[in-house]
Amino acid sequence: MSSDDFPVPDPIDHHGPARVIALCNQKGGVGKTTTTVNVGAALAEYGRKVLIVDFDPQGATSVALGISARDSDRTIYDALMSRGPTLAEIIVPSKVERLDVAPANIDLSAAEVQLVGEVARESALARILRGVTDDYDVVLIDCQPSLGLLTVNALTAAHGVVIPLETEYFALRGVALLVETISKVADRLNPKLTIDGILATMYDQRTLHAREVLDRVHEAFGNQVFDTVIHRTVKFPDATVAAEPIITFAPTHSGAEAYRRLARELVARGAAA
């Protein structure tokens, strides 16, 4: 397909209620945070009001958007554990217009243990998100690289899942376990949950290995695989160091265009407003 197959989304005249998308893969280093930040920025560029929920104790999404949450006592953890601020009170604007962030820091790692004894522990995130979803068109949850209780919370709160998948053999092996977990959450906790798509990332078409893995992903998952492919480029880490999305850091770069295309594809698939 060419990019023309995914038209620029029509403008919208009101915001909300948001569709909630969890970006999830238990393997680290697959481009999950890069995808969250940049597809969020691209959707915002197309006039959507977007909230990114940093749900990884490493706080990489917050850092990538220039938000320092390391010493803050107003993070997603505090809202999640009902320690004073509501989710609306901890949300901060990013430098990108229409793109807000619920930041995280290492405190969030304690939530996994503390939630175990809570009633409806899998629904804690869904509960606090209810207060803000009417204000946004899309909520993107950047999950931690594990299949623990935080990730189950994200899946319970979400309408859809995007799975960023590095085009590397060992990354492919873990997807079956993730898909099984998503299926269990849909069966037991969240019947509305669907897989919006699998996104091939860090693709290097010069290598036979990457081309073979991409072929296997298409064989295994068919039209669940996004047509858009994210190629490997040094511009992504450069943008992270600059603490901004590639969409604004290098707006004409092929990586920025790829994430704009992914945003259009999400809208075309009905996975985003």
Side-chain angles (χ1 to χ4, degrees):
M1 278 190 191
S2 72
S3 60
D4 295 337
D5 291 307
F6 304 119
V8 173
D10 293 330
I12 51 179
D13 54 12
H14 69 280
H15 298 295
R19 190 166 188 278
V20 181
I21 303 171
L23 287 97
C24 190
N25 193 323
Q26 77 272 28
K27 186 179 185 300
V30 299
K32 183 169 50 60
T33 295
T34 298
T35 295
T36 306
V37 166
N38 285 293
V39 79
L43 286 165
E45 191 176 75
Y46 289 130
R48 275 57 187 165
K49 196 171 179 192
V50 181
L51 172 65
I52 291 179
V53 176
D54 190 348
F55 216 50
D56 183 346
Q58 297 177 66
T61 302
S62 304
V63 172
L65 287 166
I67 295 160
S68 177
R70 185 166 56 184
D71 302 316
S72 175
D73 60 355
R74 295 172 69 86
T75 67
I76 188 72
Y77 168 76
D78 301 286
L80 194 69
M81 303 310 297
S82 304
R83 296 184 61 197
T86 65
L87 183 58
E89 289 170 332
I90 67 106
I91 289 171
V92 294
S94 74
K95 289 180 264 187
V96 179
E97 189 178 359
R98 292 182 295 274
L99 179 61
D100 294 343
V101 185
N105 61 20
I106 195 64
D107 290 349
L108 186 59
S109 60
E112 193 113 36
V113 176
Q114 293 171 350
L115 282 170
V116 168
E118 296 285 324
V119 174
R121 60 192 179 187
E122 300 92 353
S123 303
L125 180 59
R127 173 178 51 80
I128 64 171
L129 272 178
R130 281 197 290 268
V132 301
T133 47
D134 284 348
D135 300 325
Y136 295 94
D137 301 307
V138 182
V139 175
L140 302 173
I141 308 171
D142 185 19
C143 300
Q144 67 173 355
S146 85
L147 295 179
L149 187 52
L150 290 180
T151 297
V152 171
N153 259 267
L155 295 174
T156 303
H159 299 102
V161 187
V162 169
I163 304 173
L165 176 65
E166 182 185 5
T167 46
E168 189 266 336
Y169 176 68
F170 288 108
L172 178 60
R173 289 180 65 189
V175 173
L177 180 60
L178 175 57
V179 169
E180 182 182 333
T181 300
I182 293 167
S183 178
K184 285 180 180 176
V185 171
D187 184 48
R188 302 173 188 178
L189 296 165
N190 181 9
K192 67 182 180 292
L193 184 65
T194 61
I195 295 176
D196 287 337
I198 295 169
L199 175 69
T201 63
M202 300 181 176
Y203 180 64
D204 185 348
Q205 63 187 16
R206 298 169 300 179
T207 69
L208 177 62
H209 179 75
R211 297 196 302 270
E212 286 180 343
V213 170
L214 186 58
D215 287 343
R216 290 192 62 177
V217 172
H218 278 284
E219 286 171 13
F221 298 102
N223 60 12
Q224 281 189 308
V225 183
F226 286 108
D227 188 70
T228 304
V229 175
I230 308 301
H231 290 248
R232 190 182 294 276
T233 169
V234 296
K235 279 293 183 190
F236 289 131
D238 287 350
T240 300
V241 170
E244 60 178 303
I246 197 171
I247 298 288
T248 57
F249 177 74
T252 61
H253 189 271
S254 59
E257 290 298 339
Y259 276 113
R260 289 190 185 98
R261 186 170 191 260
L262 177 61
R264 296 196 301 270
E265 186 171 3
L266 279 167
V267 174
R269 284 177 174 236

